[in-house]
Amino acid sequence: MAKVIEGLFYSESHEYVRVEGNFGFIGITDYAQNALGNVVYVDMPDVDDEVTAGEEFGAVESVKAASDLISPVSGTVVEVNEALDDQPELINQDAFANWIIKVEMNDKSDLDNLMDAKAYTAFCEK
C-alpha cells in the first residue's frame, strides 16, 4: 500500500496539497509515483504563473508514461522546486518531501473539494 499522510488534502488525480497558512505545497502522491515508475522529468510552471483548481499546470514524465499535473487549488505560483530540474527522481525517493510547486492560494474553500487521508486511502483501494 502506498504511503498516505494525515493532514494533507488529496485530489482524485493523485496530487496532494500541504497547507501552511495561505500557501499550498503541491506534489504528486506516493500512489502516483509508484504507478508512474522512475520519474525522469518534471514540467513546472514559472513563478508568478496562475494555476486554477482542476486545470493542468505541468506534467511528470517517467520511463513508462507521462502524466499531466492537475492543480487541486487556485492561486499564484510563488516557488517551484528547482531541485527537481536536476534530480526528478527525488519524487520517487519521497513524493511527500519533494513537492513540485508552492502556491499562494486565492480561495481556501478549494480545499473543501479535496479528500482527507482516510477518504484518499479508500479511493486508492477501489
Side-chain angles (χ1 to χ4, degrees):
M1 178 63 198
K3 181 168 80 170
V4 177
I5 296 180
E6 291 287 334
L8 302 182
F9 296 88
Y10 297 89
S11 69
E12 289 188 1
S13 52
H14 304 288
E15 287 85 13
Y16 69 82
V17 183
R18 184 180 82 234
V19 177
E20 292 182 10
N22 205 36
F23 296 98
F25 293 82
I26 300 170
I28 64 169
T29 65
D30 193 48
Y31 180 93
Q33 72 81 19
N34 275 331
L36 280 167
N38 295 331
V39 174
V40 295
Y41 179 71
V42 183
D43 178 35
M44 297 177 277
D46 296 319
V47 171
D48 293 331
D49 281 1
E50 295 291 321
V51 296
T52 303
E55 294 188 10
E56 181 186 335
F57 70 84
V60 174
E61 294 178 22
S62 73
V63 291
K64 291 197 286 189
S67 181
D68 289 339
L69 294 167
I70 308 300
S71 187
V73 295
S74 297
T76 305
V77 177
V78 293
E79 191 176 344
V80 297
N81 187 347
E82 292 177 2
L84 298 177
D85 284 336
D86 296 325
Q87 296 179 288
E89 68 277 6
L90 290 170
I91 288 177
N92 295 119
Q93 293 169 19
D94 188 339
F96 293 112
N98 292 289
W99 50 272
I100 297 170
I101 60 172
K102 177 180 177 183
V103 172
E104 185 169 6
M105 294 182 287
N106 292 343
D107 185 354
K108 283 182 131 178
S109 71
D110 286 342
L111 299 171
D112 298 342
N113 301 318
L114 303 174
M115 295 175 273
D116 63 12
K118 184 176 175 184
Y120 181 69
T121 299
F123 176 77
C124 289
E125 290 171 351
K126 285 183 190 170

